Amino acid sequence: MRPLLAALALILAAGPALAEPTARVVGGNIPVYSGPGRGYPIIGRIPDGTTVPLEYCTRRDSEWCFIPDTGWVLGSYLVGWSGKIQVTPPDFMGPGW
């Protein structure tokens, strides 16, 4: 009985996990860039309808969003504004900033 109680206590202590902001890709097979701008190399593509996690987005010119372990995509290709409310951290010093 004690192992069951210990397991239950661990589950309750962990609490609810925070949901990672996500968005869904719309508009086809969208390009993924190595940085927040069209001047950066395309390093991959994401298929239409894919749900992706978002780390943060910028608000300069076109909106760019960073997908962890993937790269940068144009925010206009993403549906799911909950993740877009986070803006680029102040310590980001990409080209042109």
Side-chain angles (χ1 to χ4, degrees), residues 7-89:
L8 182 58
L10 283 173
I11 291 170
L12 293 175
L18 294 176
E20 187 172 41
T22 61
R24 187 172 41 85
V25 173
V26 295
N29 193 19
I30 68 166
V32 177
Y33 295 86
S34 63
R38 292 181 193 256
Y40 289 91
I42 294 174
I43 57 174
R45 295 199 173 266
I46 302 175
D48 189 40
T50 303
T51 298
V52 295
L54 296 179
E55 192 164 311
Y56 48 81
C57 298
T58 76
R59 300 260 184 228
R60 184 166 185 233
D61 297 326
S62 297
E63 183 174 46
W64 292 88
C65 294
F66 181 70
I67 300 171
D69 301 320
T70 304
W72 293 86
V73 298
L74 272 169
S76 58
Y77 287 116
L78 302 175
V79 174
W81 286 94
S82 63
K84 292 184 178 186
I85 60 172
Q86 297 175 324
V87 297
T88 304

